[in-house]
Amino acid sequence: MASVNLQYVVKETSTNLKRNVFITIAAVLVVLVSMYLVGAVFVASFAVDRALTLQTKKVEVAVFLKRDVTPEERNSIQRDLIAMPEVATVSYESKQQAYETFKKLFRDEPDIVENTTPDALPESFRVKLKDPNQYAVVRDRLEGRAGIDQIQDERKFLSRLLAVVRDVRVLGIVMVVLLTIAAGVLIATTIRMALFARRREIAIMKLVGATNWFIRVPFMLEGVIQGMIGAVLAMALLVATRPFYTNLLKSFKFLNLTVTYTEILANSMWVLVFGILIGAIGSLLGLRRFLDV
Amino acid sequence: MIRTVNVSKIYRGGIPALNDISIDVLKGEFVFLVGPSGSGKSTLIRLLLREESPSSGEIFVAGKNINQLASWKVPMLRRNIGCVFQDFKLLPSKTVFENVGFALEVIGRPREFISKAVPEVLDLVGLGDKIDRLPDQLSGGEQQRVSIARAFVNRPQILLADEPTGNLDPSTSVDIMKLLDRINRTGTTVVMATHDHAIVDAMRRRVIELESGTVLRDQERGVYGYAREE
């Protein structure tokens, strides 16, 4: 009996898909676009989160010294820094080392590098804290000391960056939600049309005592297949367009945002789950009123 | 087999379509439901199939209160009731065999069963030689036979017929009635709603006459009525 049902379901589903070829294509394409964006948001979130975590670990407090700092002042600051219980490591960056870093950072803009001399850059102590949140304690203790020009917490830049990332992510999620709704509604519409095309069959099926699930399953499967095809295509497209967006991401020099093909695939598995869910929910939406007994 | 207890059906904001109907149909009976259009015959049939629920009162089919039936059990109720309509309700793209087989297929009967049961029932209704025809290659009477075959192929306990001869000429109608009578003789309870005086008068079976939703008359071996206008 199960085999008869399976055969029936396959037959009915494929008839329905063929009958509404154009609207089926439209539904699949909308699923494709929305699932591509869902996947992009997932992959991007993964890459950004990883890069930021890495960066947070590298974050330091920079203690810039005055131009006219004396060696005694410098030594005493270093001694005190090392003695502080909150401090993990202290390293000294000379004007020359600062210049090297500067050169690396601006390697694409030779004009700036040429017009800068090592002497124009300040020497500094690079301080790593055991707990980055204790920045204020360290700063208060050092503030106003002779020889210190400025104390900077690099986390500030990072938190600004984090705020931007958060905004972009919210925007992305809003778009994804809207497109997902559109995809679901379109699938519901194709199911509605398939139901309408078969209303006589359905009326007879109900009359002779077919169960509602028996009537529903081919239609649900139709929606699920549309969602699944769209999602699989979206995954393929995500993988295929990797060269394009890794190029784009390279322009963010200070964060390493590149992702491997495997990472793309792993993160876009959710796309498949989403696609199937949209198909199922969309078709249930389309079936909702029609099958009330 | 069928019992209604003080059944009323009031459609939204309107006059009652059925008003306090209590009837009792025994197993194996043949009952005519007569009365003018709008008297409530079709409403009663829809209630028996639980396509609708009564506003008040109770309906028992085969001993079960069908108003209290969980909605997922409604298909099981319908498998026990065959239905025939004035407009046949055949699928035009399916052959005679497929139309009858469809009713078995969608309730999950195995294919071996279908390929045996369908020709059998088509022989019974006299269409054994037209098994591969499409509905529009058949006469109206033949189409109604297909629809009766579909209703009966599952051997239901009850056969409901809503104006089955409404679209047929008198001599074809007689053939359909002979067929329904034969089905009734196998022990199937038959309830038939009709306008057709000649048939009711010729068959001399129980007649329940409805008017404006109430039972006007319930008579063993009755006739359609006296000088009643259509």
Side-chain angles (χ1 to χ4, degrees), chain A residues 1 4-5 7-8 11-12 198 200-212 214 293, chain B residues 49 51 74-76 78-79 83 85 89-92 102-103 105-111 150:
Chain A
M1 201 165 113
V4 175
N5 279 353
Q7 205 178 22
Y8 170 83
K11 191 177 70 190
E12 292 299 292
R198 325 209 69 183
R200 291 172 64 108
E201 275 102 323
I202 291 170
I204 291 167
M205 286 161 89
K206 285 162 103 172
L207 209 60
V208 300
T211 60
N212 277 340
F214 187 89
V293 186
Chain B
L49 286 168
E51 288 186 355
V74 170
M76 302 309 144
R78 293 186 185 158
R79 287 176 196 189
C83 273
F85 296 92
K89 293 196 195 300
L90 299 176
L91 297 172
F102 185 68
E105 192 183 20
V106 301
I107 62 172
R109 290 302 175 90
R111 243 198 313 184
R150 182 180 65 194

Side-chain angles (χ1 to χ4, degrees), chain A residues 83-148:
Chain A
M84 284 183 201
E86 296 87 0
V87 170
T89 62
V90 180
S91 65
Y92 170 73
E93 191 180 78
S94 70
K95 284 172 188 287
Q96 190 56 43
Q97 282 163 336
Y99 183 63
E100 297 301 325
T101 316
F102 183 80
K103 271 209 293 198
K104 225 192 276 169
L105 212 56
F106 289 92
R107 62 177 179 276
D108 293 337
E109 278 119 315
D111 290 352
I112 299 178
V113 177
E114 257 170 53
N115 290 317
T116 312
T117 61
D119 207 42
L121 299 168
E123 48 189 323
S124 62
F125 287 111
R126 301 278 151 174
V127 181
K128 268 202 184 143
L129 299 178
K130 286 175 187 155
D131 174 5
N133 293 318
Q134 282 176 316
Y135 165 70
V137 183
V138 176
R139 185 197 55 205
D140 289 350
R141 229 176 275 158
L142 291 173
E143 203 125 69
R145 264 182 80 146
I148 293 181

Side-chain angles (χ1 to χ4, degrees), chain A residues 46-109:
Chain A
F46 163 78
V48 169
D49 283 346
R50 187 176 58 179
L52 287 179
T53 319
L54 254 140
Q55 202 65 24
T56 314
K57 277 188 197 145
K58 280 197 277 185
V59 164
E60 296 164 328
V61 174
V63 180
F64 293 104
L65 303 178
K66 283 187 174 149
R67 273 172 184 289
D68 55 357
V69 68
T70 64
E72 289 77 35
E73 283 168 347
R74 194 172 59 208
N75 286 339
S76 105
I77 293 168
Q78 186 166 24
R79 248 198 326 277
D80 288 357
L81 274 173
I82 291 168
M84 284 183 201
E86 296 87 0
V87 170
T89 62
V90 180
S91 65
Y92 170 73
E93 191 180 78
S94 70
K95 284 172 188 287
Q96 190 56 43
Q97 282 163 336
Y99 183 63
E100 297 301 325
T101 316
F102 183 80
K103 271 209 293 198
K104 225 192 276 169
L105 212 56
F106 289 92
R107 62 177 179 276
D108 293 337
E109 278 119 315

